[in-house]
Amino acid sequence: MIVAAFCFATMGVFVKLGKPFFSPAELLFYRTLIGFTSVSLVVFARRQPVLPPNWGAHLKRSFTGYAAIVCLFYAITELPLATAVTLNYTSTLFFALICVLWLREKLTGRVSVALLIGFAGIVTLLRPSFDSQTWLAALVGLMSGFFAGASIFQVRELGQMGEPEWRTVWWFTGVSTLLSLVWLVFHRFSPISSANVWILAGLGASATAGQLAMTRAYKEGRKFLAASFGYLTVVFSALMGWGLWGDVVSFEGLLAMGAIVLSGLIAARRG
């Protein structure tokens, strides 16, 4: 999971590096295309069936996952890397809230504390953004956390239906690639050159490696322990943002990020 956290932070770096050359939609297209191609090669080599009986659930998961990553990529291009990643990691809070509202699960004291701490952290982290021209990017970053939480909820439902992980990933990357392609047909395709092709290669490689490492971590390890180490993505993102772009996180910002991470860890222990 430490490897996965480092890879996902590195993916954020490549998204930010790609901003002068590509739009967020283009970056997302190449990221999902590389993942879809990689998974398809394995799936078809093993002759595994890709048409599931629960295709409607796969579509819902794919659409929410696509929305989450679109919002994340946009937020990364407009905000400091650590801020964008932290807002995306509110997904655990939204997942817990969805379980309470949708499944009528009991709102335990632990989840209540997690939601309160997380809400305080979000307000503190976003407050400076509302006073600047990055307020829209900050809200989009928060939306990435909401859609990611909804996507996690749907992945959980797919798992309860007996759907294998590889098929969930195949559908998500396939639908995301198709949606991005349709978007770009009516938008634009930026030229790929020797000056930027390495960014796309790094983006695809880091995202795919992170996905593989994360899948292995959740398969082999304990769920809460894996989720805890997953929050190292925020730490790695802060260090990379500082080292590459001189992003300095204020003391207030550090407290806000710490509150969001703590609330996520508390919420993750709900199950």
Side-chain angles (χ1 to χ4, degrees), residues 15-181:
V15 171
K16 215 165 182 63
L17 290 173
K19 180 186 177 181
F21 304 100
F22 306 100
S23 67
E26 289 175 298
L27 292 170
L28 177 55
F29 170 73
Y30 291 116
R31 178 256 183 268
T32 55
L33 177 63
I34 293 173
F36 179 65
T37 302
S38 302
V39 175
S40 295
L41 289 174
V42 176
V43 168
F44 292 129
R46 295 179 177 178
R47 298 182 179 180
Q48 294 172 311
V50 296
L51 296 178
N54 306 308
W55 59 271
H58 277 284
L59 284 179
K60 287 195 297 183
R61 180 270 184 270
S62 299
F63 281 121
T64 54
Y66 179 74
I69 201 167
V70 167
C71 293
L72 173 61
F73 275 34
Y74 176 79
I76 288 175
T77 60
E78 301 295 329
L79 296 172
L81 185 59
T83 302
V85 170
T86 303
L87 290 173
N88 179 253
Y89 268 79
T90 58
S91 57
T92 305
L93 295 178
F94 284 115
F95 171 70
L97 190 59
I98 290 171
C99 288
V100 171
L101 297 177
W102 188 261
L103 299 180
R104 306 296 188 203
E105 289 188 0
K106 184 179 179 181
L107 186 62
T108 63
R110 174 179 292 168
V111 173
S112 299
V113 170
L115 292 175
L116 287 174
I117 294 175
F119 180 74
I122 291 168
V123 171
T124 303
L125 190 63
L126 292 187
R127 189 172 59 187
S129 297
F130 282 113
D131 298 329
S132 67
Q133 296 186 5
T134 59
W135 65 271
L136 177 60
L139 288 179
V140 172
L142 187 60
M143 286 172 60
S144 77
F146 168 75
F147 284 120
S151 181
I152 293 171
F153 178 81
Q154 287 160 348
V155 168
R156 176 175 177 264
E157 285 193 322
L158 284 168
Q160 292 175 340
M161 293 175 187
E163 285 294 303
E165 295 86 352
W166 63 263
R167 192 150 60 197
T168 300
V169 174
W170 187 86
W171 271 75
F172 165 63
T173 54
V175 170
S176 297
T177 301
L178 181 60
L179 290 174
S180 296
L181 180 60

Side-chain angles (χ1 to χ4, degrees), residues 170-266:
W170 187 86
W171 271 75
F172 165 63
T173 54
V175 170
S176 297
T177 301
L178 181 60
L179 290 174
S180 296
L181 180 60
V182 172
W183 185 357
L184 293 178
V185 166
F186 295 98
H187 183 47
R188 64 181 171 87
F189 271 101
S190 301
I192 299 177
S193 66
S194 58
N196 56 37
V197 66
W198 64 274
I199 295 175
L200 299 179
L203 174 63
S206 58
T208 303
Q211 194 71 43
L212 291 171
M214 182 182 68
T215 302
R216 178 65 179 270
Y218 278 109
K219 180 180 179 181
E220 303 292 339
R222 288 177 292 172
K223 180 179 67 174
F224 173 67
L225 187 62
S228 301
F229 279 107
Y231 278 96
L232 284 174
T233 305
V234 176
V235 178
F236 288 136
S237 297
L239 292 174
M240 291 177 183
W242 170 74
L244 294 173
W245 294 284
D247 294 339
V248 178
V249 183
S250 65
F251 179 71
E252 185 181 53
L254 287 174
L255 287 179
M257 291 179 182
I260 291 173
V261 170
L262 176 63
S263 64
L265 293 175
I266 295 173

